[in-house]
């Protein structure tokens, strides 16, 4: 899109724009590598040096501030203002780089030592390490630390003021519950006469025991988790050379280990310390070799042991749980030997050790109380398969026992579901490609395979069949009388022990293809209703059976299933077909079938469930301008899931299987359907005079609606006459097109009048306007412009109309076809309401319309488009190309004929057409006359075919009906 | 720091002719602003769709590919795509910059009266004379509509899309509002063929014009009539109506060559804008400013609140001549 100057100011630019490229400018050489220097924001070269020491660049080549040299601080001292003594701080010698984020003294908000947490900050540690290195006596800093005043942070001070003491936890004081400890100590008290050691612990316990009720305790101190961030690039747990450890070696053998930290990790990491206390000194650490002077070859590689780590979250507490990290030393140490514990128990027998973990006591539940009338005898009920039982039996069993012996597969465990059911449960889509190996085979191969397979499957399926007598027995028990006779026959058959499956299939075929079954169109029972796929296959099978197809079973089975599944289904289908066979004629004559059958039938039609309210009421409401509840209908409507996604709204009906309005099935051949389907004139032809208003979803023209909405009295009158009067009104009240319209629509303007006139004479007993409209669509959508015509023309026009009807059978059929695909052209039976929108034709397009234009315009209805301006059309009007359309439309034909007759050039004709628009009726009369004679000469190209206008209405209707029949 | 006083809100009407564009494409069937109102689309009866700059009146691009007259068009929110519908029963999705047909959507059984993008230009909705509204997906490569709304009993003449709603006016005299969020269809009976429907900018009302020469303002949620605007003539043609950008006025085309402008609240006729002698076929109101487009015969006229300096207009006319 070209840029607009107005919107230039609205642009927001990001980044630096490239320099405008001059076309004639020579290509610039790229800057060589050595000239690509880095400069800081002041234009000074930034030099990288001292990478190992983390060196920095300052001043002018690390010397002075600028190239000009050092700017000395000015010293001003006067009598009034004596210059004070200036103490130079380190910051005075730093430039902004040093004070920046990456300098040596970054200015940032830090916590002062007062408020710092207990964790020592890294910088101080580092500084102390350096000083200790340089100190004459290694370990000097240790002394300093000892001597250093005890400083506690602000948090600790505050806590102390609140009553906190060292070694306590933070939080409200609690009453200690001692039940568990008491139990422990009780057991111990029994066994221990005199504890030899660990007296302090036992003392503690006893102290705890004698705590009075009103004494509260501070909460237990909890070791804070060390959240020291890992900032180095070493592996987890690795600690490199430790200068502290290296230099502290030598003389300090019996030295207090002041560096012991409390966390387990540091202990383990300093694990060497204890071992290597004999070491002379020198640098040591992980991965650092052992010198030649060392006497023992130590393991230079640190071995971490899993016991250094907690393997259990929140594992055992050190001590008795009274103390945390500030606990006295003995609690903090791990107890090494269990024998100390054993001391409480007295002596341990030889060869026994104390169990490390306690035995779990088994809880013993008492046996259930038996009911009084319980008899210890089991009674086995007969197991009946639900799918093999008639519904009555099933129901009886269910009521008697409360449940079925074997539920439907969908109720069973997941192992009983087939793949399709699982897929549905999981919400997966159906596999598209070939789901079976057999699909990949060629057709002939498949047939060969199946022919090989069939005998084997038949024989194999034979033994699997349960004895038909069993199923039969169930049927008899259910009281299905008709089955009894056949059951005996079946028994006789089964006694012969032919292949059962084959027999049963034959039997099913004979039963279902019988005349009674054929009569019974609706299938009443659905044995596999819970699995729709299976039911669909079963329905297919039944249908095939009804048609007498011998291969019904094989055809209906799902080829994608496995052989075993198919075999099972085969059995089930045959059995089901036998069991739910159509009732015999004797029975069926006693019962009448349900009127509402929701089976899949061809003679029903889908109708939207929610119907619109009465249109009459609404019209009344509109007249009274009472919009709102009266004129509003609200329906449930299901949008497509994808549409919701695209509109970024959640699906209002998730999981609903359909889109649009909910549909229900209706009988196709109901009177209502007949009355409303007015798409084709044939359908509307017969029942139209009744004028009943149903609300059907079929596509109808608005004109029908308004017609039906009209008053009944108005219906009584001849719609045509009304129509005509309206047309007259319209013509007299000049619409906008009276001044502006023109275009290719010319001569046929006369035709509607002719027909209307003619139809005016035919009274009462005629079909609705829809029919005529449909048939004469080509002509009637022209604007009827003449209203005051003499009687003499009417005669001719009548003839003309009659002749056109009689002579244009194929054309009508052609239009009928059009009308079935397209919505019906509008016909208004209540023209007083929409008087001005009747049969206006949109004026032709301004520029070359394709040959189909005429056709399309004929289909047009509803509000039309205004005409293009006359000047434009005059300039760009193409020469008409009537050749292609001649045989298509009557109108065209006439036009052409007329052109021939007058011997005029086409251009002239156009001009005339336009001219004629604005002419008066007298002129139109004339052309009409001409035209009627023209069109009458369509067949014979002759004049004066006075057919006397004697074709009666009945004759017309009869012809129309015959046309309809042929069309259909 | 003092804040500038808020300007006194004088509802201004686009009563000054700023520019006349002779589109040179036959009768202009529809004229539409783009999303930001800087450009306009004119649908010609010579099968072409043209993109113009509103401020300069210059032709920017011509989109040709339809087989018959173009009846309606819409631009996407990001100005990258256009959609248009035509009497040739197709809907075409255009790339704005290249002018190429991105997608040609066939499926309607009759001429397609109206077309709209949804808010994110992911769906094109088209209403046709065959009584269906089809929802075309612009994201996928499928050429089938996502859904076909066939509830209308006659041709769909007008269609508007809001955030989650779809408003259709049909020749069967009913205004249907499909609420995607609620999954409901509300049908308002008007009893006269609907020519144009609109949402108000606040989304609370719907405006419908029908062939009984009446424009009605209906409450969206209840369907009650809030206002009725008459005086113009709309009896046979499918003409547009619209609301002003701030919902202060109701505008409608008329067959007597005027654009009628009513006060929304009072319903009084505020302005009768003489456009020409013929039928004012289409109009479009600027999304934010007081600017109006009208289409009559082969010309598109731009109307504004204040008269523009004539100097530029002369230039424009010269350009047109050239």
């Amino acid at each position: 899109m070209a840029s607009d100057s107005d919107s230039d100011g609205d642009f927001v630019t990001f980044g630096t724009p490239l320099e405008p490229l001059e076309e004639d400018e020579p290509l610039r050489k790229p800057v060589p590598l050595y000239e690509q220097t880095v400069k800081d924001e002041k234009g000074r070269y930034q030099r990288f040096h001292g990478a190992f020491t983390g060196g920095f660049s300052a001043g002018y080549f690390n010397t002075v501030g600028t190239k000009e040299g050092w700017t000395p601080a000015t010293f001003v001292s006067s009598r009034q203002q004596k210059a004070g003594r200036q103490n130079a701080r380190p910051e005075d010698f730093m430039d902004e780089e040093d004070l920046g984020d990456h300098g040596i003294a970054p200015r940032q908000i830090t916590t002062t030592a007062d408020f710092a947490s207990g964790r020592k900050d890294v910088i101080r540690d580092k500084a102390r390490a350096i000083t200790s290195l340089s100190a004459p006596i290694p370990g000097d800093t240790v002394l300093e630390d000892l001597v250093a005043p005890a400083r506690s942070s602000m948090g600790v001070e505050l806590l102390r003021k609140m009553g906190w003491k060292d070694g306590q936890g933070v939080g409200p004081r609690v009453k200690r519950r001692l039940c568990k400890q008491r139990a422990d100590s009780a057991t111990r008290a029994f066994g221990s006469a005199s504890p030899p050691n660990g007296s302090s612990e036992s003392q503690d316990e006893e102290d705890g025991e004698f705590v009075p009720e009103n004494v509260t305790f501070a909460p237990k101190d909890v070791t804070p988790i060390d959240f020291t961030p890992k900032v180095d690039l070493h592996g987890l747990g690795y600690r490199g050379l430790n200068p502290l450890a290296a230099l502290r070696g030598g003389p300090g053998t019996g030295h207090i280990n002041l560096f012991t930290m409390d966390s387990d990790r540091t202990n383990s990491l300093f694990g060497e310390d204890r071992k290597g206390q004999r070491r002379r000194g020198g640098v040591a650490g992980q991965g650092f070799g052992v010198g030649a002077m060392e006497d023992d070859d130590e393991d230079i590689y640190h071995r971490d042991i899993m016991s250094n780590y907690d393997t259990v979250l929140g594992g055992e507490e050190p001590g008795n749980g009274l103390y945390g990290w500030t606990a006295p030393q003995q609690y903090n140490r791990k107890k090494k030997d269990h024998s100390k514990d054993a001391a409480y128990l007295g002596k341990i027998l030889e060869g026994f050790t104390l169990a490390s973990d306690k035995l779990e006591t088994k809880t013993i539940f008492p046996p259930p109380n038996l009911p009084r009338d319980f008899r210890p005898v089991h009674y086995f009920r007969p197991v009946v398969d639900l799918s093999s039982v008639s519904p009555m039996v099933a129901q009886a069993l269910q009521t008697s026992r409360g449940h079925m012996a074997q539920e439907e597969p969908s109720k069973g465990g997941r192992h009983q579901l087939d793949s399709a059911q699982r897929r549905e449960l999981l919400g997966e889509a159906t596999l598209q490609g070939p789901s079976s190996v057999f699909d990949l085979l060629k057709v002939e191969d498949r047939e060969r395979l199946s022919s090989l397979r069939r005998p084997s499957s038949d024989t194999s399926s034979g033994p699997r069949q349960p004895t038909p007598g069993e199923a039969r027995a169930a049927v008899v028990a259910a009281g299905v009388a008709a089955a009894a006779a056949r059951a005996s026959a079946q028994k006789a058959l089964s006694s012969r022990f032919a292949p059962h499956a084959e027999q049963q299939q034959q039997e099913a075929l004979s039963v279902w293809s019988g005349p009674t079954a054929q009569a019974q169109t609706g299938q009443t029972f659905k044995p596999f209703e819970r699995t729709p796929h299976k039911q669909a296959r079963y329905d297919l099978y039944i249908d095939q059976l009804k048609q007498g197809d011998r291969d019904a079973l094989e055809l209906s089975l799902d080829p994608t299933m496995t052989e075993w599944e198919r075999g099972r289904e085969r059995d089930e289908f045959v059995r089901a077909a036998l069991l739910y066979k159509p009732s015999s004629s004797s029975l069926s004559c006693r019962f009448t079938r349900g009127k509402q059958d929701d089976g899949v039938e061809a003679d029903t039609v889908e109708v939207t469930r929610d119907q619109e309210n009465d249109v009459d009421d609404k019209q009344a409401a509109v007249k009274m301008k009472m919009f709102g509840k009266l004129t509003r209908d609200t329906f449930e409507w299901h949008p497509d899931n994808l549409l919701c996604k695209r509109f970024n709204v959640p699906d209002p009906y998730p999981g609903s299987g359909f889109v649009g309005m909910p549909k229900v099935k209706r009988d196709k051949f109901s009177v209502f359907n007949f009355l409303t389907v007015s798409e084709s004139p044939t359908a509307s032809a017969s029942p139209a005079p009744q004028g009943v208003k149903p609300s059907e979803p079929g596509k109808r023209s608005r004109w029908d609606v308004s017609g039906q909405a009209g008053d009944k009295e108005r219906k009584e009158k001849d719609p045509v006459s009304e129509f005509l009067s309206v047309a007259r009104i319209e013509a007299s009240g000049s619409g906008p097109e009276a001044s502006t319209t023109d275009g290719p629509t010319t001569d046929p303007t006369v035709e509607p009048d002719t027909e209307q006139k003619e139809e005016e004479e035919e009274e009462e007993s005629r079909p609705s306007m829809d029919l005529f409209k449909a048939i004469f669509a080509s002509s009637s959508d022209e604007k009827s412009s003449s209203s005051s015509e003499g009687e003499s023309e009417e005669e001719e026009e009548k003839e003309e109309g009659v002749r056109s009807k009689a002579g244009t059978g194929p054309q009508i059929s052609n239009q009928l076809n059009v009308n079935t695909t397209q919505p019906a052209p509008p016909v208004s039976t209540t023209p007083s309401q929409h008087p001005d929108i009747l049969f206006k034709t949109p004026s032709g397009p301004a520029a070359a319309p394709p040959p189909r234009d005429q056709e399309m315009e004929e289909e047009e209805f509803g509000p039309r488009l205004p005409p293009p301006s006359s000047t434009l059309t005059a300039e760009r009007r193409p020469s008409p190309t009537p050749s292609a359309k001649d045989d298509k439309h009557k109108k065209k034909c006439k036009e052409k004929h007329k052109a021939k007759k007058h011997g005029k050039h086409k251009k002239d004709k156009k001009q005339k057409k336009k001219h004629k628009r604005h002419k008066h009726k007298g002129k139109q009369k004339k052309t009409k006359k001409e035209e009627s004679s023209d069109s009458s000469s369509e067949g014979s190209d002759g004049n004066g075919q006075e057919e006397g206008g004697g074709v009666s209405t009945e004759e017309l209707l009869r012809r129309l009906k015959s046309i309809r029949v042929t069309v259909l | 720091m003092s804040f500038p006083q808020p300007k006194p809100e004088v509802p201004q009407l686009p009563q000054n002719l700023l520019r006349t564009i002779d589109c040179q494409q036959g009768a202009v069937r529809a004229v539409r602003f783009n999303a930001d109102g800087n450009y306009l689309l004119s649908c010609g009866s010579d099968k072409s769709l043209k993109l113009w700059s509103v401020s300069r009146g210059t032709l920017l691009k011509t989109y040709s590919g339809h087989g018959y007259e173009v009846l309606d068009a819409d631009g996407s929110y990001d100005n990258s795509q256009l959609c248009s519908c035509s009497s040739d029963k197709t809907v075409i999705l255009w790339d704005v910059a290249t002018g190429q047909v991105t997608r040609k959507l066939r499926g309607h059984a009759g001429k397609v009266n109206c077309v709209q993008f949804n808010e994110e230009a992911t769906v094109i909705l088209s209403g046709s004379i065959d009584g269906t509204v089809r929802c075309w997906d612009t994201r996928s490569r499928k050429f089938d509509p996502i859904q076909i709304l066939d509830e209308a009993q006659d041709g769909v003449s007008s269609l508007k899309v809001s955030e989650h709603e779809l408003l259709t006016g049909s020749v069967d005299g009913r205004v249907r509002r499909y609420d995607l969020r609620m999954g409901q269809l509300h049908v308002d009976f008007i009893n006269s063929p609907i020519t144009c429907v609109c949402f108000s900018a606040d989304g609370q009302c719907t405006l419908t014009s029908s062939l009984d020469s009446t424009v009605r303002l209906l409450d969206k949620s209840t369907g009650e009539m809030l206002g009725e605007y008459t005086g113009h003539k709309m009896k046979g043609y499918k003409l547009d109506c619209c609301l002003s950008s701030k919902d202060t006025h109701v505008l409608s085309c008329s067959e007597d060559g005027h654009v009628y402008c009513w006060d929304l609240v009072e319903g009084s006729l505020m302005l009768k804008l003489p456009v020409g002698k013929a039928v004012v076929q289409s109009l479009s109101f600027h999304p934010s400013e007081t600017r109006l487009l009208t289409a009559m015969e082969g010309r598109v006229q731009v109307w504004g609140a204040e008269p523009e300096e004539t100097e530029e207009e002369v230039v424009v006319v010269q350009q047109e001549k050239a």
Side-chain angles (χ1 to χ4, degrees), chain A residues 347-364:
Chain A
K347 248 168 76 179
I348 296 177
L349 291 176
E350 278 181 18
F352 287 89
T353 53
L354 205 65
S356 57
D357 42 29
K358 275 195 283 179
L359 271 177
E360 280 183 23
T361 55
K362 278 182 186 170
T363 51
I364 297 166

Side-chain angles (χ1 to χ4, degrees), chain A residues 543-570:
Chain A
D543 284 348
Q544 303 269 14
L545 277 184
K546 278 184 196 165
Q547 289 160 18
D549 199 335
R550 284 186 168 274
D551 295 327
L553 198 53
E554 293 304 319
L555 285 172
S556 58
L557 289 180
D558 189 357
T560 62
M561 289 188 349
T562 62
E563 180 61 35
W564 183 79
E565 281 176 317
R566 241 179 305 171
R568 208 176 53 169
E569 243 185 45
R570 203 177 289 133

Side-chain angles (χ1 to χ4, degrees), chain B residues 90-129:
Chain B
T90 63
V91 174
I92 293 185
L93 178 67
W94 306 90
D95 185 67
V96 169
T98 62
Q100 297 294 308
V101 175
T102 308
R103 205 155 297 170
K104 198 165 190 174
L105 305 163
R106 295 179 179 86
H108 277 297
K111 67 175 194 178
V112 189
N113 275 329
C114 45
V115 71
Q116 281 267 307
F117 276 117
N118 74 334
E119 213 177 21
E120 297 184 337
T122 51
V123 180
I124 297 175
L125 296 127
S126 60
S128 162
I129 201 170

Side-chain angles (χ1 to χ4, degrees), chain A residues 357-494:
Chain A
D357 42 29
K358 275 195 283 179
L359 271 177
E360 280 183 23
T361 55
K362 278 182 186 170
T363 51
I364 297 166
F365 299 102
N369 289 324
L370 290 178
R372 282 204 313 173
D373 53 348
F374 176 73
R375 280 184 303 147
V377 179
H378 187 66
Y379 172 66
F380 290 94
R381 292 172 193 272
V383 174
V384 186
D385 189 4
L386 184 64
S387 61
S388 63
V389 187
S390 82
M392 275 179 278
V393 176
Q395 207 178 1
L397 281 172
Q398 249 163 348
T399 50
S400 68
R401 298 178 56 197
H403 68 281
M404 291 300 294
Q406 186 191 346
E407 293 291 333
E408 277 292 289
S410 61
K411 276 277 181 70
R414 64 192 163 92
H415 298 293
Q416 293 183 32
L417 302 174
D418 66 357
S419 60
Q421 286 168 324
R422 278 194 297 268
R423 186 180 60 217
E424 268 179 16
L425 282 177
L426 292 170
E428 289 170 353
T430 319
L431 283 177
Q432 289 303 321
S435 56
S436 166
V437 186
F438 289 104
D439 291 350
L440 301 169
L441 292 175
K442 279 187 206 162
V443 181
E444 52 265 31
D445 290 345
R446 227 181 299 165
E447 279 175 356
R448 210 175 44 198
L449 266 178
S450 61
S451 64
L452 281 176
R453 205 155 31 121
R454 195 161 296 160
S456 66
S457 71
D458 281 345
T459 52
S460 66
S461 67
R464 251 208 318 276
Q465 289 273 355
T467 55
E470 188 180 308
R472 229 39 40 72
V475 176
V476 173
V480 181
R486 211 179 37 72
S488 60
Q490 178 60 26
K491 263 178 191 153
L493 275 172
S494 64

Side-chain angles (χ1 to χ4, degrees), chain A residues 193 222 415 424 477 584 772 914 918:
Chain A
V222 187
H415 298 293
E424 268 179 16
S584 61
F772 289 102
K914 215 191 308 168
H918 304 283

Side-chain angles (χ1 to χ4, degrees), chain A residues 627-628 632, chain B residues 177 188 203-207 216-227:
Chain A
F627 288 90
R632 166 159 289 202
Chain B
R177 183 164 61 86
D188 284 327
Q204 299 297 314
C205 308
T206 59
L207 191 74
R216 292 182 178 88
L217 185 74
L218 302 180
D219 188 272
K220 195 182 79 174
S221 53
T222 63
E224 285 163 14
M225 190 165 74
L226 303 175

Side-chain angles (χ1 to χ4, degrees), chain A residues 855-871:
Chain A
E855 198 183 344
M856 291 172 76
E857 280 171 40
E858 283 165 19
E859 295 155 11
E860 196 162 356
F861 60 99
R864 62 197 171 128
L865 297 163
S869 71
S870 52
T871 53

